[in-house]
Each structure stands twice: as structure tokens, then as C-alpha cells.
Amino acid sequence: MSDSDDKKPLSLGRRRLLQGLGAGATALAFPHLWLPTAARAQTAGRGQVRHLIYIRLSGGFRFTTAFNGDVADEFNPFGGSDRRAPGTEWGATKLLERASWLEGEPNKPRRDLGMQPVTSFTHEMCVLPCVDHEPFSARADGGHGTGLERFLTGYVGGATGFLTLVNYGVRQRVAEAAAQGKILLPAFSLGEAGMATGAGVYATYRPPVLEGSSFERFGGDPDSSLPAWATKVANNMDARFRQRLHVALRGGVETYEQTRLATREYGRIFRDPLLRVSVDANDVVDGISNRELRTLLGTDTQGQRAALALRLFHFGCPAVFLNQGGYDYHSREEAELPMEMDSANRLVSGLRTALQKMTHPEGGTYWDKTLVVLGSEFGRTTGGGRFNSANGSDHGSDLATRWMSMPFMGGVITAAGKGGKSLGSVRASDLKATGKVYSYRSVLKTMLDMLGADYEGVFPADAPIQDFFA
């Protein structure tokens, strides 16, 4: 009789016994491959935030000079900070101490509003020292093109931008609000078109990309200027055109029609004075005025975009993406990186201060309901020295390029008891991982999870990070 004969249920059979032993040995040797079928992917923090601010430190950032600095001089030539807040486990560096925007009498209004150097609140930030595009690959991806594609979509050649996934993931929330007569703004990319790609089922969920830092051009309502008969004629023409098209060609037209309808509905919001962040208005909305936002975040493009992000949240926007700085310092990094970090520090500190001051319509503060995350397309290396021969740094295939030491902050992090924690670690001498390594796609999926977004079918081999809530 064969091993599979169901008349002898108590006999495993030689082949099945060997198969079972082989599977057991595999599970012992490679526990990361052995996943229980009943495991739930979502984290305990699912849906705990309503808004996400995702900041790219543009050009490839030397993370060990800021967020993983307790390492050898070749990885962090600027040294560790002795001013980091008590309870900070991760390697905050001297570059995070920089705060020229708090110095002197002209900056007293910022101090009065509560702004502090980043090192004063490092205990509120959780850092993942070892985030890698492909943890099981033989080498790092240090390419500007491919690294950025991974950052924007999760894959080289990825067809769907992360913010498109956000909009798709919260579609049910948007539909429920619309059924109640409330329009929620989608996620916005403030200056990066790659975050807004998407085709097929994702096409209608691509986020708007705003190249400037305001909605000043939305000064009038063109639809309201048309008489009723003209609007009816235009709508009838659109309907007849669509009906004459072959069914296979209607998808693009439907996408266009939905986009135009959304733009019409959003136009009313875009004309709201609250979004005029370039104006020194004293009207207090959500516990803060635009004048105070300009004081905290600055009046340059970076500051106005950050202020606009916070105001977009007032209208239900779930996420905003920002580019900050330019860190591709193949030369002059020793002199220029500290100045660029001074600007990044102001952005982080200003956002923290504003979020903690702002009251959320659902109760509590915006800090309680917002996650702020910083990343880049890869890290940077010098191949053994403090700087390269041009006093800069490069990118290649080594661990210094590989590790993106990404900081997370917001009420959800402090409430989970992970403020100041380091989820992972490296050996100081050579950056070899001595703790957990996370895939970049897992980071993206974690952000979707915290937003309560649907991510079924998204990055199926990468689970959201449970360690934030363990």
C-alpha cells in the first residue's frame, strides 16, 4: 500500500516522515522563512494616526552623521552629542545640536513658542538604524536612479508611488465621508512627481503634485461663471463622447472625468484663506495662526510647504510628502553638511512644536494623530576615511551606503513607549548589523498600517513592523 493510503491514518510512511523531518530542520535553520499561516500582518498601532509627514533628505543622506552616530570616525566624523535628551538610546550626533534659528534676540519669538534644538527631544524619536532596500541581497543599491525608484515605489521600476497607495488605501474612509456630504482632501506630494505614479486600479488615486508652496492661483471659480444652460450643454457633450467610445477606451476618459470632478470639488477648499500660508494672518485655526506657523517653520519654500502640509491636514488630507535639502556631497561635505543640517533641524523642531500646539478636530493634538518620518534613497560612504579626497562622501555597495537609519516621531511613538529607542544596532567599527534589519518596503507598509490604510496585495513578502508596539 502507498504512503498516502487513507486506510492507515496512523502510519506516516517513510517518505512523509522524511518530508516532515526535512521541513522541521528547515524551520530550525531558517526561522525567518517559517511563518504561521494564521499570523496577522497588521500591528497593534493600526489606524492610530490620521496624518503622515514623510520627508526625503534628498540626494542620499549620510545617516551616520545624524541618527546613528555612535560609530567609528570614518562613518561619523562630526562626533556624538553629549546633549542628547536622557533616555535616548540611538546615536544622536553633534549635527543635531545645531540651532542657529534659536540664537539671539531676533529669534526670541521662536523660543517663546517652545522651539528647541533637536537634541532636546531625541527621547521622543525612535530610530531604525538598519533599513535596507533588499535585506537579502548581496550588496547595497547606491544608484541615484534605482535607489530613488525604490524609495518612491518600493521597487526598481515600480509603477505605483507610495502616496498613490495611501490614497487607494484610505478610499473607504473618503467614500464614507462623501456619503455624509464631507469632502476629504487626498494625500499631496509637495514637489516630487515620482510619489504620484499609478496605473490600472490605482490610476484614479494618484495624488496631486504641487510644485509651488501655495494655492494662490486658485483665486477664482471658473465653473461658477458659467450659466446653467452652458454647464448642461458641456455635460451632455461629455456624455455623448464617452458613449461613442469603445468600452476598452473608456477607462482613461473616466479617469479624466473623475479628476475634473475632484478638482471642482477641491477648488472650494483650495480657495480657503487658511491655505494662504504666505500671508501673516493672525486668525487662530486648530489652535495656531498662520503667522505662528511662519515663525516656527520659516518663510522660505521649505517652511511654507511644511506649513501648507499642516493646513492640508485640517481638510482631511492623510499624508504629505516633502523634499528637504540636497545631500549629494561628493565634495565640501565637511563644510556644507552642518549648514544643511541646521535647516533640517529647524524643520523637525518646527513641526514638533506646531503639532504639539495644534488641537485636532477629533480631540487631542495633531501630535497625537500625526507620524513624522525621515528617509532618503540610500546612505553614504567614504571607503575608510572621515571624508573622501574632496572632503565629501560617495555611495556604493557597502554597509554605509546600505543602512538608512530612519527616525520616527509623533504621539503614536511616545504612546507605544518607543521614544528614544533604537530598533536595531550596528557594530561601531564596521557597521555590521548586530540587531534587526528591516526592509524599506516594511517601513512603507508600517506607515500604511498606522494610517489604517488597506494594503491588501501591497508588498506581499514584507510585513509591517511589529516592533514599534512590541
Side-chain angles (χ1 to χ4, degrees), residues 19 116 134 158 204 221 258 319 342 348 450 455:
Q19 288 175 340
Q116 298 176 327
E134 304 289 347
T204 57
D221 181 4
Q258 291 182 40
D342 188 68
V348 171
M450 290 188 188
Y455 49 75

Side-chain angles (χ1 to χ4, degrees), residues 331-367:
S331 62
R332 294 187 55 79
E333 181 182 60
E334 185 174 18
E336 296 183 11
L337 178 58
M339 292 186 290
E340 195 67 75
M341 277 303 300
D342 188 68
S343 177
N345 290 344
R346 177 178 179 173
L347 175 62
V348 171
S349 180
L351 285 172
R352 170 187 177 266
T353 306
L355 289 168
Q356 292 185 355
K357 180 180 177 62
M358 294 172 67
T359 55
H360 198 275
E362 297 179 6
T365 66
Y366 272 82
W367 174 261

Side-chain angles (χ1 to χ4, degrees), residues 35 41-42 132-136 154-155 437-446 448-449 455 457-466:
L35 299 177
Q42 69 185 42
D132 184 22
H133 293 305
E134 304 289 347
F136 296 110
Y155 300 104
V437 173
Y438 301 96
S439 77
Y440 177 66
R441 288 184 292 272
S442 286
V443 170
L444 295 179
K445 206 163 185 176
T446 303
L448 290 172
D449 186 70
Y455 49 75
V458 176
F459 312 141
D462 301 84
I465 300 169
Q466 304 284 347

Side-chain angles (χ1 to χ4, degrees), residues 6-65:
D6 59 4
K7 294 181 180 179
K8 296 181 64 177
L10 298 179
S11 175
L12 288 173
R14 181 173 179 273
R15 180 177 299 174
R16 187 170 298 178
L17 177 62
L18 291 175
Q19 288 175 340
L21 290 174
T26 302
L28 291 173
F30 303 102
H32 57 278
L33 298 178
W34 197 255
L35 299 177
T37 56
R40 296 180 65 190
Q42 69 185 42
T43 72
R46 178 167 179 78
Q48 289 191 13
V49 303
R50 303 296 282 180
H51 313 287
L52 168 70
I53 301 175
Y54 193 24
I55 301 168
R56 171 189 168 217
L57 304 170
S58 302
F61 182 70
R62 196 172 179 183
F63 285 98
T64 51
T65 63

Side-chain angles (χ1 to χ4, degrees), residues 266-432:
Y266 298 152
R268 175 184 56 81
I269 298 175
F270 296 160
R271 291 187 291 275
D272 194 295
L274 186 62
L275 296 182
R276 300 294 187 264
V277 294
S278 61
V279 178
D280 253 350
N282 284 318
D283 299 331
V284 175
V285 179
D286 293 338
I288 200 167
S289 68
N290 281 357
R291 177 182 291 248
E292 289 173 316
L293 287 177
R294 287 165 61 80
T295 298
L296 291 170
L297 298 165
T299 57
D300 58 1
T301 299
Q302 172 184 292
Q304 289 195 59
R305 284 182 172 176
L308 182 61
L310 299 180
R311 288 315 195 189
L312 289 171
F313 290 164
H314 174 82
F315 298 100
C317 171
V320 171
F321 174 82
L322 305 168
N323 279 307
Q324 191 281 321
Y327 294 92
D328 194 20
Y329 289 120
H330 289 278
S331 62
R332 294 187 55 79
E333 181 182 60
E334 185 174 18
E336 296 183 11
L337 178 58
M339 292 186 290
E340 195 67 75
M341 277 303 300
D342 188 68
S343 177
N345 290 344
R346 177 178 179 173
L347 175 62
V348 171
S349 180
L351 285 172
R352 170 187 177 266
T353 306
L355 289 168
Q356 292 185 355
K357 180 180 177 62
M358 294 172 67
T359 55
H360 198 275
E362 297 179 6
T365 66
Y366 272 82
W367 174 261
D368 300 329
K369 295 177 172 62
T370 303
L371 180 68
V372 182
V373 182
L374 279 71
S376 190
E377 49 265 52
F378 46 71
R380 303 188 72 84
T381 185
T382 60
R386 296 174 71 249
F387 299 97
N388 65 17
S389 58
N391 279 329
S393 62
D394 308 301
H395 37 95
S397 61
D398 61 359
L399 293 177
T401 302
R402 183 167 217 150
W403 302 144
M404 294 172 282
S405 305
M406 298 178 63
F408 289 63
M409 74 175 188
V412 64
I413 298 299
T414 51
K418 291 301 187 290
K421 301 298 183 182
S422 178
L423 302 186
S425 58
V426 299
R427 192 162 62 190
S429 59
D430 58 5
L431 294 190
K432 183 176 181 180

Side-chain angles (χ1 to χ4, degrees), residues 87-116:
T88 303
E89 293 180 356
W90 52 274
T93 76
K94 288 188 178 298
L95 291 186
L96 296 182
E97 297 176 358
R98 298 184 64 89
S100 65
W101 28 271
L102 289 179
E103 298 171 357
E105 188 62 25
N107 291 316
K108 185 177 183 297
R110 299 190 182 100
R111 298 195 299 271
D112 291 343
L113 285 170
M115 284 189 77
Q116 298 176 327

